[in-house]
Amino acid sequence: MLPLLLLTVPLMPTADPTGEDAKLAAAFQAYLTDEFHRHPAFATSQGNHEYDDRLDDLSPRARSEDVDRTKKLLTDLAAKIDAKKLTRSAQIDLEIWTHALKYSLWQAEHDSRFANDPRVFGEYVSDSVFSLFTQSTLPKERNTANAAKRITYIPKVIADAKESLKAPPKVLTEIAIKRNLGAIAFYEKDIFGLAGTTPGASELTGPCKAAVTTLKEYQTFLEKDLLPRSSGDWRLGQDRFAKKLELELDAGLSAADVIREAEAEADRVEREMYNVAKQLWSKTFPGKALPPDDAAGRRATVKAVLDELGKQHSTPEGLVDDARKGVEKIKQFIREKRILTLPDPDRCKIIEMPEFQRGFSAAYLNPAPTFDPKADSLYAISPPPSDWPAARQEAFFREYNRSMLQILTIHEAYPGHYVQLEYGNRHPSLIRKVLYSGVFAEGWAVYTEQMMLDQGYGDGDLALRLHQLKFYIRAVLNAILDHRMHCSNMTDEEALRLLIDRGFQTEGEAVGKVQRAKQSSCQLSTYFVGRTAFYRLRQKVQREQGDKFDLGKYHEAALSHGTLPVKYLPELVK
């Protein structure tokens, strides 16, 4: 058995290693040790591989025990850690940890995924095994042996799912049905390719065969039992949404603040998109008169130009290769313009998203785990699902055309998520690495899209700029959509009109985003809120420093404090 990797990671810095900072660090390490033992999938996701051969107990009884332990931990922290004796850095860590514990209790009481979201069990069924082969530095034979044992826990996970699920929203059950089919395909075939073995001569064969049998039975349960009783409401309602958003963002903003700022920003970005599209008009439609300069004409101008530019796109077979080809160009620009220092060695691997993970977003970045930092980070890109009709696949590629693919890569990888999270993994605070802020991560990624073009990436290509603005207004509209769908009775048709008319999204992309808003309340607001925080901080620091301002040093300073709530940035980045 491997030694506990947690013990080899340095503690948080402290002026007095025997003082209050050290007590906090020791308390968090003890907490993680217990969490890893009780939640093996979480341990694996953090790069601790001692429990890779097993899976969590997800029964209602075990989850109730988790809640009780969290309540006790909050009481113990208040009694045993004197916040006034901590350094300011450790005070921030304690605040982050306490906030995370309180948020988990609120979710357990008001927004229980295990009762209301069948997708969560799929993460244990397939994602927890997939990661053993893609994000572990252990020898492949060890990962294969661990996977073979972990797979034997799938029947228990499915039994816990059947016991836990009540009356989830129909949309979530429908997604779970599709993803479970992907999980069946994964265990029938795909896993053997990852392991470098064949189905007839692998220690995975028996466990996978049993898993497939269980998952096929679960498919019947999802379709025949759970779907008919999936009558839950995916809307949070105004009060629950406001509280959850406050907890999710931890940015010192209310739901009313966010929607007000997002609506004003959407108006501004629409005007900027029109100004760019107007400049592209004569090249895109030579000899054709520009539409009238009124609200309808301006939107018609932007839409027509985007539609024409969208014809330059990739194919299902070439999408991932096209992303790989664009990476070197982007990285070279970052080096030449001294945007920041890129991670060395570069451990970002660009892959095609597995079928069982598709249907939620076009791409994601899965960073190297905290306790296995030499593992690969995965930039996964999703071609359209194979069962989509040809017209819908074409619409997908028009949305993620060659210009948009470059913006996507900037966001997900360089200098977006991959680079930022590599910087985050360097910070010695375990609390900031394990309990990292999604608002910080998404905000940085969106900030880099405009910043890269402002610094000259694309050599002033207006088509690229128009797509950057389209990608950004998507982030702004995400916040508006998030609020309106959960706080009012906004219909699907009204949501589609918002995204298509104001966001210039294809119908297929808009349908997917409406589905996502139903599946992930409050997460869609993180992009806009985070980007606004980074943009305002940059303006403030640059005004203060004037000619002494160095963009690369500023970026490295902004990333040097870990992936923490953005409300701390003005205090820390000076």
Side-chain angles (χ1 to χ4, degrees), residues 554-565:
Y554 163 75
H555 286 154
E556 292 176 6
L559 300 184
S560 68
H561 301 281
T563 312
L564 78 178

Side-chain angles (χ1 to χ4, degrees), residues 374-428:
K374 294 184 179 180
D376 291 327
S377 290
L378 303 181
Y379 168 25
I381 305 172
S382 175
S386 54
D387 61 350
W388 280 11
R392 189 174 179 188
Q393 292 203 25
E394 172 65 16
F396 173 90
F397 283 110
R398 290 169 71 91
E399 183 75 22
Y400 292 97
N401 54 61
R402 297 197 185 280
S403 292
M404 190 65 89
L405 190 58
Q406 294 179 69
I407 304 299
L408 186 67
T409 298
I410 288 171
H411 177 105
E412 297 290 349
Y414 306 94
H417 286 318
Y418 166 65
V419 173
Q420 182 269 307
L421 291 167
E422 279 284 306
Y423 271 77
N425 252 348
R426 299 174 187 173
H427 196 278

Side-chain angles (χ1 to χ4, degrees), residues 191-452:
I191 190 172
F192 298 101
L194 285 174
T197 61
T198 56
S202 172
E203 62 186 306
L204 294 168
T205 301
C208 285
K209 190 174 292 185
V212 167
T213 298
T214 298
L215 292 174
K216 286 182 176 178
E217 292 173 353
Y218 185 50
Q219 187 73 18
T220 301
F221 165 80
L222 290 172
E223 294 176 354
K224 305 298 184 183
D225 185 334
L226 190 62
L227 186 61
R229 57 183 165 96
S230 294
S231 57
D233 189 356
W234 52 264
R235 297 186 202 272
L236 288 183
Q238 189 166 347
D239 291 342
R240 269 205 307 160
F241 178 85
K243 183 60 178 177
K244 183 177 180 181
L245 188 70
E246 177 187 330
L247 291 165
E248 178 74 29
L249 298 179
D250 194 18
L253 294 172
S254 68
D257 295 331
V258 175
I259 188 65
R260 183 179 62 253
E261 291 194 10
E263 288 176 339
E265 181 70 345
D267 291 340
R268 185 195 68 79
V269 180
E270 278 185 303
R271 293 192 296 271
E272 190 171 349
M273 290 183 76
Y274 173 66
N275 289 333
V276 175
K278 188 165 58 172
Q279 295 176 68
L280 283 164
W281 182 268
S282 62
K283 293 181 180 179
T284 310
F285 304 105
K288 187 174 181 180
L290 186 72
D293 187 3
D294 55 23
R298 289 191 289 270
R299 286 185 178 174
T301 301
V302 176
K303 183 179 185 307
V305 172
L306 284 170
D307 286 348
E308 189 65 24
L309 296 175
K311 295 177 181 178
Q312 303 173 31
H313 60 69
S314 188
T315 63
E317 300 76 22
L319 184 63
V320 175
D321 283 341
D322 284 347
R324 290 191 180 116
K325 291 173 185 175
V327 159
E328 286 307 316
K329 176 183 174 183
I330 293 171
K331 286 163 59 176
Q332 184 62 29
F333 177 86
I334 292 170
R335 294 188 189 99
E336 289 178 355
K337 301 297 182 180
R338 298 173 59 206
I339 302 299
L340 46 61
T341 303
L342 289 170
D344 186 19
D346 188 337
R347 298 190 180 94
C348 184
K349 181 181 290 185
I350 303 173
I351 66 167
E352 181 175 306
M353 192 182 297
E355 190 79 30
F356 67 84
Q357 292 179 330
R358 297 179 193 176
F360 189 67
S361 62
Y364 67 72
L365 190 288
N366 212 3
T370 297
F371 300 110
D372 196 0
K374 294 184 179 180
D376 291 327
S377 290
L378 303 181
Y379 168 25
I381 305 172
S382 175
S386 54
D387 61 350
W388 280 11
R392 189 174 179 188
Q393 292 203 25
E394 172 65 16
F396 173 90
F397 283 110
R398 290 169 71 91
E399 183 75 22
Y400 292 97
N401 54 61
R402 297 197 185 280
S403 292
M404 190 65 89
L405 190 58
Q406 294 179 69
I407 304 299
L408 186 67
T409 298
I410 288 171
H411 177 105
E412 297 290 349
Y414 306 94
H417 286 318
Y418 166 65
V419 173
Q420 182 269 307
L421 291 167
E422 279 284 306
Y423 271 77
N425 252 348
R426 299 174 187 173
H427 196 278
S429 167
L430 298 184
I431 289 176
R432 296 185 199 183
K433 285 188 278 196
V434 173
L435 305 177
Y436 72 88
S437 166
V439 181
F440 184 109
E442 295 298 354
W444 168 261
V446 177
Y447 160 80
T448 64
E449 299 159 17
Q450 177 181 328
M451 178 273 297
M452 286 283 284

Side-chain angles (χ1 to χ4, degrees), residues 454-508:
D454 287 350
Q455 295 306 117
Y457 179 76
D459 296 321
D461 181 354
L462 290 178
L464 194 61
R465 175 64 77 177
L466 188 60
H467 282 89
Q468 177 262 311
L469 289 168
K470 178 182 174 180
F471 210 52
Y472 175 50
I473 201 170
R474 177 189 301 187
V476 180
L477 294 179
N478 279 350
I480 296 174
L481 184 72
D482 197 20
H483 189 282
R484 290 186 184 173
M485 290 197 72
H486 286 281
C487 297
S488 69
N489 292 320
M490 185 183 218
T491 66
D492 284 11
E493 181 58 31
E494 289 170 336
L496 290 173
R497 292 271 60 85
L498 171 72
L499 300 176
I500 294 171
D501 292 347
R502 298 197 70 186
F504 305 99
Q505 296 180 22
T506 61
E507 184 174 356

Side-chain angles (χ1 to χ4, degrees), residues 178-195:
K178 292 179 181 179
R179 290 191 174 182
N180 192 62
L181 290 173
I184 291 169
F186 175 69
Y187 287 114
E188 285 181 331
K189 178 183 177 182
D190 296 345
I191 190 172
F192 298 101
L194 285 174

Side-chain angles (χ1 to χ4, degrees), residues 39-73:
H39 300 287
F42 171 63
T44 299
S45 72
Q46 292 297 318
N48 178 292
H49 299 297
E50 188 172 2
Y51 307 102
D52 282 357
D53 59 348
R54 64 200 80 169
L55 271 177
D56 305 39
D57 181 353
L58 302 176
S59 66
R61 175 193 55 77
R63 298 199 314 275
S64 178
E65 291 175 356
D66 283 344
V67 169
D68 291 340
R69 283 197 307 276
T70 300
K71 291 177 179 178
K72 183 177 185 301
L73 179 58

